[in-house]
Amino acid sequence: MPAPSTARPRVVLLRGHHANVWDLRPWELLLDEYDVRVLVTGSNLHQTEGLALPVEHVRTPRDVLPGSGRLTGGAAYALGERYLGLDEHLRGAAIVHAAELGTWYAAQAAGLRSAGGFRLALTVWETIAWRETYRWRRERAYRRAVLAATDLYLPTTERARDGLRLEGVPEDRMRVCPPGIDLARFADGAAAAAPAEPPAVHTLLAAGRLVWEKGHQDVLRAFAALRLGIGGAARADVRLLIVGDGPEGEKLRAYAADLGVGDAVEFRRTVPYDEMPALYARASALVLGSLPTAAWEEQFGMVLVEAMACGTPVVACASGAIPEVVGDRGTLIGAGDWIGMAAALREGPLAAAPATRSGVRLTDLERYSSAALADRLRGAYAGLLDGRSP
């Protein structure tokens, strides 16, 4: 590979259809040192508004298929999803930074690595070691290509690192690299938006994609138990705000009405990322009801760190990496235990005045700051560029 010039080394971020502001914002801190840009497809599933990184728009077969959702995604996968003209977008790149062992976009980058002359870094959120046995045929090929070409693995948690060890990745090619958020922005934004006087009602906040595995249905059950007095006195002073969109949205709205609590539940499909601190400030608790499935468990839970930075109490299921992320800073319950969720809320956040805060020390969360992630990336990229081992 040619020696780096005096120009900033070019870093291209590949996230398939999952480029998003909360994952990528820390790379903004590297722009003085690296020419960072992110590829965004026409079928991207998340918001990138407010992201200060240069964006390059790129098409994929999914962009030209009719419809949307999982059926369209499945059809694109069957046809062979890929970035169209990726080699042109990667021309001159010193580092390409993709994600996950079994993704089409990481495998596509792996196939271009030798001809492109770049180093390949891989963020890994996945906490389950599938190896070959539990992967679809095409993903087995993706995995082999990525394992053969990746120079440095950046698992986001210790659990993901241990999964990579089971996948056969040597530990000396990995660095645990948790994601980062602007802790001060969340803390200061929450402080500025905090109500001058306690509101009359408690607001419980559930934020995340409206899919079965995020457990919103269990949050609704726990909420109904609180309102109806199951397991304790009825709490008419509690409301629920669910932020997110996804294929389960219509069913969850119907379920809230079916449980008799529809008039006390608000659904918001989207909230600009910069407005989230205000929601945390007004919430008495963040509730994350993540459930493991046959193919997934919670890989991190960015909303957990956001809430903790705002001083918002957390009640979450002990699924996947959640115990590692929350530590002793929140209340953990068993996955699917909506009765336990209701009890934890009743005996914890709902036992105090609405939106009461006990204070937060951001130093306790520094590992999850944008600045800390930027420092980890600087070290990782410098090692890749000068050929040092991870």
Side-chain angles (χ1 to χ4, degrees):
M1 187 180 72
S5 69
T6 55
R8 293 173 300 157
R10 187 177 184 198
V11 177
V12 182
L13 305 177
L14 307 183
R15 295 296 187 267
H17 301 304
H18 297 280
N20 63 76
V21 65
W22 50 92
D23 173 22
L24 300 176
R25 181 161 273 170
W27 273 263
E28 296 171 355
L29 301 179
L30 301 181
L31 287 174
D32 287 343
E33 303 151 78
Y34 293 93
D35 173 15
V36 184
R37 53 198 60 218
V38 56
L39 301 192
V40 176
T41 72
S43 300
N44 200 58
L45 296 172
H46 307 285
Q47 58 175 295
T48 57
E49 293 79 6
L51 188 64
L53 296 178
V55 167
E56 293 186 8
H57 295 282
V58 59
R59 291 174 64 79
T60 76
R62 181 172 181 171
D63 296 336
V64 300
L65 291 174
S68 60
R70 293 183 176 181
L71 289 178
T72 302
Y77 177 87
L79 291 171
E81 189 64 313
R82 62 199 180 278
Y83 294 113
L84 302 178
L86 180 60
D87 53 344
E88 289 298 319
H89 287 280
L90 300 188
R91 190 178 302 279
I95 295 172
V96 174
H97 193 152
E100 306 299 0
L101 286 182
T103 59
W104 56 266
Y105 52 93
Q108 192 178 5
L112 294 170
R113 177 187 175 279
S114 180
F118 53 78
R119 306 299 296 275
L120 181 59
L122 195 75
T123 289
V124 177
W125 300 77
E126 179 60 76
T127 57
I128 302 173
W130 298 111
R131 296 288 302 204
E132 297 274 319
T133 307
Y134 286 100
R135 291 185 192 273
W136 292 354
R137 183 183 300 274
R138 182 168 290 170
E139 290 180 2
R140 294 174 194 166
Y142 293 161
R143 172 184 178 270
R144 293 183 203 124
V146 172
L147 284 173
T150 299
D151 295 290
L152 177 63
Y153 298 84
L154 299 171
T156 59
T157 61
E158 304 285 344
R159 191 176 181 91
R161 178 205 61 192
D162 293 342
L164 281 174
R165 292 184 66 185
L166 288 183
E167 290 281 4
V169 176
E171 191 161 9
D172 63 3
R173 292 176 62 196
M174 295 187 279
R175 288 186 181 183
V176 175
C177 191
I181 69 167
D182 188 336
L183 298 175
R185 177 183 297 197
F186 274 85
D188 295 345
E197 296 185 8
V201 299
H202 287 273
T203 296
L204 303 178
L205 173 63
R209 283 264 297 160
L210 303 189
V211 290
W212 187 89
E213 57 267 27
K214 284 295 183 178
H216 295 292
Q217 61 276 13
D218 279 332
V219 175
L220 283 169
R221 294 177 186 121
F223 179 67
L226 290 169
R227 294 277 298 189
L228 298 174
I230 298 173
R235 296 295 300 262
D237 62 337
V238 183
R239 300 186 63 83
L240 174 62
L241 170 60
I242 297 178
V243 175
D245 198 6
E248 290 287 301
E250 183 177 347
K251 184 172 290 186
L252 288 168
R253 289 175 176 85
Y255 193 45
D258 208 16
L259 289 169
V261 295
D263 60 344
V265 180
E266 178 186 356
F267 287 85
R268 295 189 197 175
R269 284 186 168 84
T270 185
V271 171
Y273 187 61
D274 288 339
E275 294 179 15
M276 286 300 296
L279 293 189
Y280 290 120
R282 300 182 188 114
S284 292
L286 171 78
V287 189
L288 184 58
S290 294
L291 297 166
T293 72
W296 181 87
E297 63 182 15
E298 187 65 65
Q299 297 167 348
F300 191 87
M302 294 290 283
V303 294
L304 300 169
V305 178
E306 294 168 1
M308 291 187 293
C310 294
T312 305
V314 167
V315 175
C317 292
S319 171
I322 289 178
E324 179 180 334
V325 175
V326 173
D328 60 1
R329 294 179 292 267
T331 301
L332 299 177
I333 58 170
D337 184 8
W338 56 269
I339 287 289
M341 183 183 295
L345 289 165
R346 182 182 290 110
E347 297 163 10
L350 299 186
T356 296
R357 295 288 181 269
S358 58
V360 61
R361 293 191 307 170
L362 293 185
T363 53
D364 293 341
L365 299 172
E366 180 55 33
R367 185 169 188 250
Y368 301 126
S369 72
S370 295
L373 173 55
D375 284 343
R376 288 189 288 268
L377 292 170
R378 285 189 189 96
Y381 290 171
L384 286 173
L385 292 176
D386 68 16
R388 287 186 284 111
S389 63

